[in-house]
Amino acid sequence: MSFFKSDTPADLVKHVVIILVAAAALVFGFFYVYLPITTNHGETIVVPKITGMNQGDLEDYLDERDLAFFVDDSSYSASIRPGTVLTQEPQAGEKVKEGRKIYISVAMKNPPVIKMPKLTDGSVKNAR
């Protein structure tokens, strides 16, 4: 057990060097072995252009490419067919990991209904 004793300054230096080598091995193992294996480092998929597509066709189309979508927003336009994808994030051509969600905005079927405030029995200033 004389290896673990620190009777001299040389023993102390020896122990510090062993601790530093062990810490460097742990850091190296974590960043250069564990993380690349678990995060599929370097494996990417190019995001396809889905703007202009119908929302009903998206699930099968993106499932074939190991991607998913999430409707993040919707807006109404009388000139655009309802269910059409208006925008996407990430943009087409960007590289992402497989299984990534693509956030889209879709054209609504009906225009949004805005509740009209009560204008009677109030002042003209509030009505304006």
Side-chain angles (χ1 to χ4, degrees):
M1 292 301 242
S2 66
F3 180 77
F4 294 112
K5 291 182 180 178
S6 60
D7 295 333
T8 66
D11 289 336
L12 180 64
V13 170
K14 178 177 62 172
H15 290 157
V16 170
V17 168
I18 290 171
I19 290 170
L20 291 175
V21 168
L26 286 173
V27 169
F28 177 81
F30 181 75
F31 285 107
Y32 293 102
V33 177
Y34 174 74
L35 281 181
I37 290 171
T38 58
T39 61
N40 300 326
H41 184 69
E43 297 177 21
T44 59
I45 301 172
V46 176
V47 176
K49 179 182 181 286
I50 58 175
T51 54
M53 291 182 68
N54 190 342
Q55 183 182 354
D57 303 332
L58 273 184
E59 189 161 349
D60 292 334
Y61 182 76
L62 292 177
D63 199 33
E64 292 170 2
R65 289 156 179 80
D66 293 324
L67 295 168
F69 74 93
F70 179 78
V71 179
D72 190 34
D73 194 13
S74 58
S75 59
Y76 178 77
S77 176
S79 63
I80 299 176
R81 185 171 37 107
T84 302
V85 177
L86 301 173
T87 62
Q88 72 181 66
E89 181 60 39
Q91 298 298 321
E94 291 186 28
K95 294 181 180 181
V96 297
K97 303 276 184 177
E98 62 182 45
R100 167 77 188 261
K101 282 185 184 175
I102 298 176
Y103 296 91
I104 62 173
S105 73
V106 181
M108 295 181 353
K109 182 177 182 179
N110 298 319
V113 178
I114 299 171
K115 184 178 178 182
M116 186 69 174
K118 182 180 177 187
L119 299 175
T120 58
D121 298 331
S123 69
V124 175
K125 182 178 180 182
N126 285 340
R128 285 185 188 160

